[in-house]
Amino acid sequence: MSHPQYRAAIFDLDGVIADTARFHFVAWQRLAKEEGFAIPHVVDDRVKGVDRMASLNIVLEYTDRGYSQAEKDALAARKNGYYVELIKALTPADLLPGAGEVLHTLRAAKVPVGLASASKNAVPVLQALGVLDDFDYIVDAATVTNGKPDPEIFLKAAHALGVDPSLCVGFEDAPAGVTSILSAGMFAVGIGEKDLLADAHEVFPSLADVSLARYFQL
Ligand code: BG6
Ligand code: MG
């Protein structure tokens, strides 16, 4: 099916544009180890699309120790410090396959492009990848009240781009993100495994496999 009627593209960051999920996981692993417990690899998938504090709560499921909110705030800040250290090594080579090409094609076709990421580190990550200027609007994750799977973040991006949600295509690698796109009334493109992202309208292994002409007039 071809849908060349869409007017805006809204992307998730981690796992769609940037190869950063591994850094989030390494930072959580380090934190857990320092706290005296280990986290299994399934946490890597479980924290995808989930904001920092909710991700910490998932990590803490793997220890019996209880933490106060103040302690949790400190743990989240510590993990972020480790993550910020790790992303200092990011270069344009850490763009996921097809991401740079897709962004440049959309820019050339004057299709408005938004970012709907739960990450408060989105701007430095995009900067390090050399694609910050390819986005017309980046939702500030700190201003989002309800994280994915709530549609708020994708709706905010569509509103800022001035495009009706029904004319937006959202790109996501996490099930919670796909739900967010669908609840926003957008066309959902899953990037990753079909089994994991079964709810999306279409799923492709990477952005390199997406033909933009299916959705946009180029
Ligand atoms: C999402 C990641 O994009 O951002 C999550 O998929 C992460 O794993 C979340 O927890 C929040 O990121 P940050 O950079 O604000 O801690
Ligand atoms: Mg993601």
Side-chain angles (χ1 to χ4, degrees):
M1 237 219 296
S2 191
H3 316 270
Q5 76 272 25
Y6 291 101
R7 295 278 183 271
I10 303 176
F11 294 88
D12 172 48
L13 174 65
D14 297 312
V16 173
I17 302 285
D19 188 10
T20 38
R22 62 205 168 102
F23 292 145
H24 281 294
F25 185 67
V26 165
W28 287 125
Q29 247 182 338
R30 177 171 170 192
L31 185 81
K33 195 172 175 207
E34 287 172 354
E35 291 300 304
F37 65 100
I39 50 171
H41 269 282
V42 67
V43 169
D44 189 12
D45 272 340
R46 289 191 66 199
V47 299
K48 282 181 184 163
V50 177
D51 72 28
R52 195 179 303 165
M53 191 48 72
S55 293
L56 173 65
N57 284 327
I58 289 172
V59 167
L60 294 181
E61 285 176 21
Y62 299 90
T63 175
D64 290 335
R65 184 173 155 191
Y67 291 87
S68 68
Q69 191 53 51
E71 286 171 327
K72 284 186 185 180
D73 290 345
L75 289 178
R78 224 163 89 206
K79 178 269 175 177
N80 190 54
Y82 303 151
Y83 181 70
V84 167
E85 258 323 294
L86 290 166
I87 61 174
K88 278 187 185 154
L90 283 177
T91 72
D94 296 292
L95 277 169
L96 283 166
E101 294 79 357
V102 159
L103 291 171
H104 294 150
T105 302
L106 291 170
R107 183 47 101 226
K110 297 194 165 54
V111 175
V113 175
L115 190 85
S117 169
S119 175
K120 292 181 179 137
N121 294 295
V123 169
V125 167
L126 292 176
Q127 225 153 16
L129 297 173
V131 293
L132 183 61
D133 293 343
D134 292 322
F135 288 85
D136 297 294
Y137 186 77
I138 295 163
V139 178
D140 178 356
T143 66
V144 175
T145 315
N146 304 298
K148 300 168 188 179
D150 191 278
E152 181 181 339
I153 190 163
F154 278 93
L155 289 174
K156 258 195 168 131
H159 186 255
L161 295 173
V163 177
D164 191 86
S166 66
L167 298 177
C168 295
V169 180
F171 296 85
E172 259 291 350
D173 71 314
V178 167
T179 306
S180 176
I181 295 169
L182 293 172
S183 314
M186 301 178 180
F187 190 85
V189 177
I191 300 297
E193 284 173 33
K194 266 211 162 88
D195 291 353
L196 189 70
L197 306 169
D199 290 342
H201 290 105
E202 294 179 334
V203 181
F204 299 97
S206 79
L207 285 176
D209 306 296
V210 174
S211 167
L212 291 175
R214 291 163 69 78
Y215 315 119
F216 308 104
Q217 269 168 21
L218 303 177

